[in-house]
Amino acid sequence: MSALLDGDLSGASRMAGVSLTEYFVTDGVRWLWQFRLDQMAADPGRARWMVRQVVVGDKGLVVGHAGFHGPSDEVGMVEIGYSVAPDFRRQGYARSALIELLRRAAAETSVTTVRATISPDNVASLATISGFGFVEVGEQWDEEDGRELVFAAER
C-alpha cells in the first residue's frame, strides 16, 4: 500500500506477486491505501482484515480490491467493501468478491452480522448485494462518499 501511495505501481506489483493495473494508483483509490495504513499502524492486528486484491484465473488477472473495514466489533458486526476497476465491471467480479467476503465472514466465529454501505446512486452495487440476505437498516453520511444506505445481513 505504501508503494501504491508513492505511485510505484511496478514495485507494488512486485511485492504483491501480481501485476496491478493503473486503477490501483488513481486518486479515487489512493486515499484508501492511506486510510488502511493508518488503521494498521494504530492496531497491527487489523491487517488480516484489510483490503486485498481481487485476482481472477491462473494468470493472476487483478480486477479490483475487496476486504473488510476491520475485525468484528463488540456486537459481532463486520463491514465489507469492494471495488472493481472500470475495465472489468459488469462481468460478475464484484459478485464473486462479495461471495468470498461472505464466506470468509461466515468462517469467523466472532462475526454475526455483515454490513455494507452503498451510495443510493450506485445501482450496480445495490444489484450486487441483492439476493444475499442484506436488508436496508438505515442510512448515514460518509465524509468521503456522501449519503450511503446501510445494509445488514445476519450470518
Side-chain angles (χ1 to χ4, degrees), residues 137-155:
V137 295
E139 65 178 60
Q140 68 181 21
W141 183 261
D142 182 86
E143 291 299 320
E144 190 69 35
D145 300 322
R147 181 173 167 246
E148 296 177 324
L149 303 176
V150 179
F151 295 88
E154 300 299 318
R155 291 284 105 221

Side-chain angles (χ1 to χ4, degrees), residues 124-138:
S125 197
L126 293 169
T128 298
I129 68 166
S130 177
F132 285 95
F134 284 91
V135 176
E136 187 175 341
V137 295

